[in-house]
Amino acid sequence: SWRYALKNYVTSPETVNDDTVIYFDDKVSIIRDSFPKSECHLLILPRTMQLSRSHPTKVIDAKFKNEFESYVNSAIDHIFRHFQEKFRIKKSDDDKDPCWDDILKDKNKFVRNFVQVGIHSVPSMANLHIHVISKDFHSVRLKNKKHYNSFNTGFFISWDDLPLNGKKLGTDKEIETTYLKEHDLLCCYCQRNFSNKFSLLKKHLELEFNSHFELK
Ligand code: 5GP
Ligand code: ZN
C-alpha cells in the first residue's frame, strides 16, 4: 500500500537510483521529500526496523533524540547551504523587520527563524520519519489546506517539544478535524488570517517569498 512508499529508503537506500537519497549509513537514511512542501524538505528515516515500525509520538524520547541529534544537524546544514548557494536576501526600505538581516550569513539565526524539525502527530506514511523543512512553504507541491496546516498548526510536533511526557493529543480523527480541517490558514511570515481561502494564501506566500528572497 502507499503507506509503505518510504520502506525502500529504510531497507535498501543504496539501490535508489535517483537523487532522492542524500545520505545513508547503518542508522539512518536522509532523503528529499518527493512532494516537498517548501523550498527544502528532507526526511530522516531510522533504519532499525523496530524504530521504523513505531509511532513517532510513542518512541521519540530523550535517548532517541540523543541518538539522532547529529543527523538532524546534518539535515539542517544541508538546508542552510542550499539557501546560501541559491538565494540572496532582498534589501528594501519598507521592510524593516530585522529578522531577515544576515539570515543567510548567521546559521543560528537561520535555524531559529527558518527551519522546522519534527513530526506529524498523525503520520500518513508508516515508516517513522522526521521532517526537516525550511519555513517558506513556497512550493508547487503545496496544494491544499491540509498540506499547509499539517506544518503550521499543532498537527506538527516540534523536535524540541518531544517527548510529550504524557500530554494527551486526542484521537487521530479529532486531531485531523481540529488542525487540518477547522483551523484557519495563518500566514507563517506575517500571521495574516486567510480563514479557509487556500488560493489567496498561496498567492500571498508567493509574494512573501519573493519579497524576502532573490535568486543569486
Ligand atoms: P507524513 O505525513 O507521513 O508525516 O509525511 C510523509 C511524507 O512523505 C510526505 O511529506 C510526502 O510528501 C512524502 N512522500 C510520500 N511518498 C514519498 C516517496 O515515495 N518518496 C519520498 N521521498 N517522499 C515521499
Ligand atoms: Zn504574510
Side-chain angles (χ1 to χ4, degrees):
S1 124
W2 56 271
R3 285 185 175 278
Y4 294 89
L6 302 177
K7 192 171 176 230
N8 261 340
Y9 306 115
V10 178
T11 58
S12 34
E14 71 282 358
T15 67
V16 179
N17 274 323
D18 54 25
D19 71 346
T20 310
V21 178
I22 65 171
Y23 173 88
F24 72 91
D25 63 14
D26 291 347
K27 282 168 78 174
V28 301
S29 297
I30 304 180
I31 67 171
R32 297 177 211 279
D33 195 294
S34 297
F35 310 91
K37 305 308 187 293
S38 268
E39 173 71 22
C40 266
H41 186 178
L42 305 180
L43 303 172
I44 302 173
L45 297 139
R47 294 191 63 198
T48 320
M49 263 311 145
Q50 198 199 331
L51 283 182
S52 194
R53 284 194 206 102
S54 304
H55 194 284
T57 60
K58 301 209 170 72
V59 84
I60 302 181
D61 57 7
K63 177 171 170 284
F64 181 105
K65 286 175 73 171
N66 191 45
E67 193 175 348
F68 293 101
E69 190 78 51
S70 68
Y71 299 107
V72 168
N73 289 328
S74 309
I76 289 173
D77 282 347
H78 182 96
I79 293 179
F80 183 55
R81 281 198 308 275
H82 173 92
F83 268 82
Q84 278 191 315
E85 280 160 24
K86 189 164 170 190
F87 299 109
R88 253 194 308 267
I89 295 295
K90 274 190 185 166
K91 291 268 178 242
S92 70
D93 291 332
D94 54 331
D95 181 19
K96 296 259 198 294
D97 190 345
C99 110
W100 298 97
D101 291 345
D102 294 329
I103 198 169
L104 297 184
K105 296 186 180 119
D106 178 343
K107 190 174 109 184
N108 291 326
K109 188 171 186 180
F110 180 86
V111 174
R112 232 176 17 252
N113 295 314
F114 204 62
V115 181
Q116 193 167 317
V117 180
I119 54 150
H120 282 150
S121 45
V122 186
S124 51
M125 289 297 167
N127 297 279
L128 190 146
H129 50 278
I130 300 153
H131 294 269
V132 184
I133 185 170
S134 56
K135 287 209 272 199
D136 50 272
F137 302 98
H138 180 254
S139 168
V140 291
R141 300 291 197 178
L142 188 83
K143 290 185 172 166
N144 57 51
K145 183 178 184 180
K146 286 184 184 185
H147 287 164
Y148 185 78
N149 274 356
S150 74
F151 289 96
N152 289 285
T153 67
F155 190 83
F156 192 88
I157 303 174
S158 286
W159 182 251
D160 291 340
D161 293 335
L162 290 165
L164 293 173
N165 288 324
K167 192 169 146 240
K168 279 275 167 286
L169 287 178
T171 65
D172 288 1
K173 188 93 196 175
E174 285 164 351
I175 294 170
E176 287 170 340
T177 303
T178 306
Y179 292 121
L180 302 185
K181 288 202 184 124
E182 290 177 351
H183 200 291
D184 284 347
L185 292 161
L186 303 178
C187 174
C188 59
Y189 298 80
C190 72
Q191 314 317 315
R192 187 166 145 194
N193 191 325
F194 287 84
S195 161
N196 247 330
K197 303 205 163 44
F198 180 76
S199 60
L200 286 186
L201 169 71
K202 180 92 181 157
K203 289 197 189 87
H204 178 75
L205 290 171
E206 178 79 24
L207 293 175
E208 288 278 19
F209 188 81
N210 292 326
S211 81
H212 298 301
F213 295 99
E214 61 188 357
L215 287 170
K216 267 194 164 171

